[in-house]
Amino acid sequence: MSSPASPPAADRADESPVRIGALAPLTRPGWAEAGHHLLAGLELAASEVNDAGGIVGRPLELVVRDTAADPQRAAAAVDELAGLGVAAVAGEYHSVVARAAAARADAVGLPFLCSSAVLDTLTEQPTDWVARLSPPQSRGWQVYADFLLGAGHTRIAVATQPSVYWASGTRILRDRLAPRGGTVIELDMSALTATAVCDALVGHRATALLLLVGHPEPAVPIVRSVRRDQRLAEIMIGAPAGQPEFAEWATLLGDDGAGIPFLRYLPERFSPLGARVETALRERLAEAPSFVAFEGYDTVAVLADVLRSHGPDRRHIADSWACVAVEGTRGQIRFTRTPGISVWQWAGPPIQVVERDPAEPDRFRILRTA
């Protein structure tokens, strides 16, 4: 008996994987915990896509690259992934790294759906190649500034390090606070020790200190010093960039890490989809999923929908951002052109100001929503 004939080459090609590049900071000096949560969300969604039949019968495959918070490494990864034939690139957490990836994706004509970076100017010029799920920094940090004013804080110190991201955050806070009588005092952490920060806070009569610095260094030593300084017993410590979101923060600081308000991008209550994904992410991570894990899941959910509707052609994907209408874990996802934002932007992600409950640091208290 003769063997059955092999399927035509075109049919075999139809069974090949549809590949998506995935960028995440998985090693230091990147925020590796955030990167692993992001990757968990990306991988969970890809697994569910494949369990449901893939992309018109073709499996979805993630090609993961570790950016380690290095912009040059991220740009090189985009070039590599483009050469490997991926249909699109997804992910990244660090804003400065995502900006490098976005610029390179725009240059080589590779669609990039940014999961979690918030810097307003991901690209210098408007582009159709890049879309983003997380809210722009200007929107989230304005919400945080309004929270500060509502809590009675008008003399606000920011412990900051040289970075376009921290400089942008400082500018947003100052622009929002100044017309309402608020003052922003910059403390340059390249010139100050954690102990010197305490003296500066007393000298400037600040009522709030915001951590616009890296984690765990120097954020953790600053918190410890301020918490132990009796002169600063009444000062509020804040972290708009979200450092307290992750379990490592609570592990390193214990009770000192509670009561520090930060931004995260979750709804007040999940839809049935969000609740189901939360359970699955918790099992995959063996801990409570952060908002970054949900951003990762939603990224692949959007790309899978686009790939099913428009195919893996890169130009078709980039042309499809305006047509996206996907039910994500945190709401209906649609992309629009937003004034001042150079990429396609989800205009409606939820924003919360939350803190770890001082009475129960593993529990989060919502202080403000937008």
Side-chain angles (χ1 to χ4, degrees):
M1 181 183 295
S2 61
S3 300
S6 299
D11 290 345
R12 290 200 302 273
D14 287 344
E15 298 171 4
S16 64
V18 178
R19 307 178 86 191
I20 294 174
L23 304 178
L26 301 175
T27 55
R28 297 290 189 190
W31 197 340
E33 190 175 9
H36 287 293
H37 276 237
L38 175 61
L39 184 59
L42 294 167
E43 290 178 339
L44 174 63
S47 175
E48 291 185 358
V49 168
N50 288 331
D51 288 346
I55 306 299
V56 195
R58 298 172 63 184
L60 183 65
E61 179 183 317
L62 297 181
V63 184
V64 180
R65 292 295 180 267
D66 174 19
T67 64
D70 184 337
Q72 293 183 337
R73 187 165 170 172
V78 171
D79 283 339
E80 179 198 2
L81 292 165
L84 291 173
V86 301
V89 173
E92 193 46 47
Y93 174 78
H94 295 288
S95 282
V96 175
V97 179
R99 188 173 66 159
R104 197 66 200 140
D106 180 50
V108 303
L110 181 61
F112 174 34
L113 180 50
C114 180
S115 301
S116 195
V118 300
L119 196 65
D120 282 34
T121 52
L122 277 183
T123 57
E124 293 300 325
Q125 302 296 328
T127 177
D128 287 328
W129 291 105
V130 183
R132 174 169 54 191
L133 286 175
S134 53
Q137 187 180 19
S138 55
R139 180 165 175 253
W141 287 47
Q142 284 175 359
V143 170
Y144 197 90
D146 292 344
F147 158 74
L148 291 172
L149 289 170
H153 296 289
T154 56
R155 293 191 62 78
I156 296 146
V158 295
T160 188
Q161 293 175 303
S163 161
V164 64
Y165 174 65
W166 300 127
S168 172
T170 301
R171 183 176 63 254
I172 293 164
L173 291 168
R174 181 173 284 119
D175 289 348
R176 189 71 166 185
L177 293 166
R180 297 163 176 82
T183 300
V184 174
I185 304 143
E186 292 188 55
L187 305 179
D188 181 1
M189 293 312 301
S190 63
L192 294 174
T193 65
T195 301
V197 167
C198 296
D199 294 335
L201 293 172
V202 173
H204 286 291
R205 295 178 291 108
T207 65
L209 168 67
L210 305 187
L211 302 171
L212 275 56
V213 293
H215 169 78
E217 297 288 338
V220 168
I222 293 172
V223 173
R224 286 179 178 148
S225 291
V226 172
R227 292 295 201 212
R228 284 157 177 70
D229 194 318
Q230 294 301 313
R231 299 173 298 171
L232 302 172
E234 300 300 320
I235 199 165
M236 188 206 86
I237 305 175
Q243 295 95 323
E245 168 78 359
F246 297 94
E248 183 185 25
W249 176 268
T251 299
L252 291 173
L253 282 165
D255 292 346
D256 285 346
I260 298 179
F262 65 94
L263 286 166
R264 71 174 182 181
Y265 311 120
L266 292 177
E268 288 191 72
R269 59 179 57 86
F270 282 118
S271 65
L273 170 63
R276 179 184 65 75
V277 170
E278 180 185 31
T279 298
L281 285 170
R282 187 181 292 270
E283 292 176 357
R284 182 174 287 256
L285 289 163
E287 64 181 4
S290 69
F291 70 85
V292 180
F294 292 95
E295 289 175 326
Y297 183 95
D298 288 342
T299 302
V300 169
V302 168
L303 286 174
D305 184 79
V306 169
L307 288 164
R308 292 189 191 101
S309 301
H310 299 275
D313 179 83
R314 293 172 180 175
R315 182 70 260 179
H316 291 167
I317 293 171
D319 288 342
S320 74
W321 300 132
C323 305
V324 165
V326 173
E327 188 61 35
T329 60
R330 298 162 300 134
Q332 182 82 2
I333 299 170
R334 296 179 183 271
F335 296 118
T336 62
R337 284 298 193 185
T338 302
I341 308 299
S342 59
V343 302
W344 284 93
Q345 175 69 52
W346 181 22
I351 297 175
Q352 299 175 347
V353 179
V354 301
E355 66 180 7
R356 290 182 176 271
D357 189 340
E360 191 179 343
D362 287 338
R363 189 176 75 86
F364 295 106
R365 298 194 302 191
I366 298 174
L367 307 175
R368 191 181 184 96
T369 61

